[in-house]
Structure formats: structure tokens, C-alpha cells
Amino acid sequence: MPHPPSTCTIEVDLTRVLWLTRGWRWDYVFVLKPLVSVGDAWANIQWRVFAGLLPAAVPHTVAGRIDDFHVERAFLATTFLDPQRRDVRGRAVTHHLVWFPPDESSPRFVAPADWGPQLVAALAPAFDAAFALDVSTRDDGRDLDPSSEVARVFTRELARVPPRLRLTGPAVMVYVLRPFEAKRIELPASPPRHPRTLARALLVWAATFAALLLLAFVLRRGS
């Protein structure tokens, strides 16, 4: 079994990063979305990648593959609590990061153990501009869409940052295919139905069944 080097350097293309976090007065928003396609909504992807993981002060890293029946994409993901930033209620801010490396066929990844905190630190000027937003109301009293306003400010500030970041630190090796250290996410061929949609379908089925029973009863009495 190969051993990771003591330190390593990775180059992260920001167009291949998914970043979900929250701000001082706004709840979870995707401040970064990858340009790569995975065949499913990003909200579903991040939920499946981080299912069962509790963010802590020490970053937790997982790796796996996303299979959308057309292409497999390997990912390296990390989640952690921000050591400095807290929201208006005093809660530590959580970061969820998913990186889709260009080498999608590798059975393992070697990356700095703190690549997530390093990435957040490198993007601190852009993130802090969005983090401090109070998007509850506008000056004219109209409600704002937090996600669009946060994304607008973050994207504006992000234009001043190089699109690729070199991150160096103590190395950790994560295997993509080992069952206890990796996640394989098979996306459904069609998106799951919303619970309300299923409830409506059941009500329609029940009404149709009751109508057929009533019709059979009327026909029987008339014969």
C-alpha cells in the first residue's frame, strides 16, 4: 500500500468547486458552483456527499464517485467549522466543499489535510464581502433573494482572485474506491417526486377507486 508524502501541493480550479456555506445574517447558499456537469441538482449532490458527517473544528475529508449513468466523476470533499466566523446567533459557520479534480480515474487522492480551510482563507476578501451582507430587507422595504444577492457580491469580488489556487500542506491520502473511506453516489434516472406530488397522486387514485365502486353499486341495483 503506497504511503502519502509528508507534504503535497494541489492546484484547485475554482470552476470545479462546489462551496456551500452561510453568512452573518443569511442561511446556506452555494457561493461557488462548478461548471462540470453531474446530471443532478447541486443541493442533492452536497446532501449525499456529506450525509452522516458532522462538521468539526478539524476538517473531515471524504472521496468518492458520482455516477449519473452517463459519466463517472470523482470528487474530494471536506467539511469543517470556521474557526473565526460566526453568524448573528453566535453559531460557528460551517463550510461544505466538493472539488472535482481533473484526474477522474485515479483510485486515490493525495491532498493537504487542510485544503478546505486553505481555500476559504485564500478567498477571504471575496467571502467576507458576502458574509457581512444583511439581505433581510432592502432600503425600499422589498424582500431580497439571499442566494442571488450573496452570489452577486461574491462573484464580483471573486473576479479579483486567480481562477486557480495552489494549496500546500501536510498530506492525507484518501482512497476513492475503498468502502469505508469513500462514497459512491448513484443518481436516480429521474428525480424523486416531491411528497406533495405523491400525496396528490394517492388522492386521485383513491377518488377514482371510490367512483368505480359507486358506479358498480348503481349498476348492480339497476339490474
Side-chain angles (χ1 to χ4, degrees), residues 22-27 84-94 131-136:
R22 68 170 185 255
W24 183 59
R25 292 188 69 94
W26 45 268
D27 211 350
Q84 299 176 338
R85 301 176 181 88
R86 293 183 176 271
D87 65 11
V88 68
R89 298 181 182 179
R91 300 172 298 179
V93 171
T94 303
F131 177 81
L133 287 174
D134 182 355
V135 294
S136 55

Side-chain angles (χ1 to χ4, degrees), residues 1-75:
M1 181 181 296
H3 295 280
S6 57
T7 61
C8 70
T9 299
I10 60 174
E11 186 173 88
V12 177
D13 185 343
L14 295 180
T15 64
R16 303 179 72 92
V17 174
L18 181 69
W19 181 8
L20 178 72
T21 187
R22 68 170 185 255
W24 183 59
R25 292 188 69 94
W26 45 268
D27 211 350
Y28 287 102
V29 169
F30 287 107
V31 293
L32 274 181
K33 291 183 180 180
L35 297 182
V36 299
S37 173
V38 295
D40 198 8
W42 289 120
N44 294 340
I45 295 297
Q46 73 85 24
W47 183 84
R48 295 183 185 202
V49 168
F50 296 107
L53 297 181
L54 293 178
V58 177
H60 188 97
T61 299
V62 295
R65 295 188 186 278
I66 295 175
D67 183 0
D68 69 351
F69 303 100
H70 300 290
V71 64
E72 286 190 1
R73 294 196 183 280
F75 66 82

Side-chain angles (χ1 to χ4, degrees), residues 138-159:
R138 299 175 53 135
D139 292 339
D140 56 11
R142 291 185 298 168
D143 290 340
L144 275 174
D145 176 10
S147 60
S148 62
E149 182 68 5
V150 169
R152 183 187 68 81
V153 172
F154 184 78
T155 302
R156 181 192 66 201
E157 299 298 323
L158 193 64

Side-chain angles (χ1 to χ4, degrees), residues 76-117:
L76 186 68
T78 186
T79 181
F80 58 94
L81 298 176
D82 195 303
Q84 299 176 338
R85 301 176 181 88
R86 293 183 176 271
D87 65 11
V88 68
R89 298 181 182 179
R91 300 172 298 179
V93 171
T94 303
H95 300 289
H96 301 287
L97 291 158
V98 184
W99 174 42
F100 297 91
D103 183 6
E104 298 176 345
S105 61
S106 176
R108 58 184 175 270
F109 292 123
V110 178
D114 63 342
W115 71 270

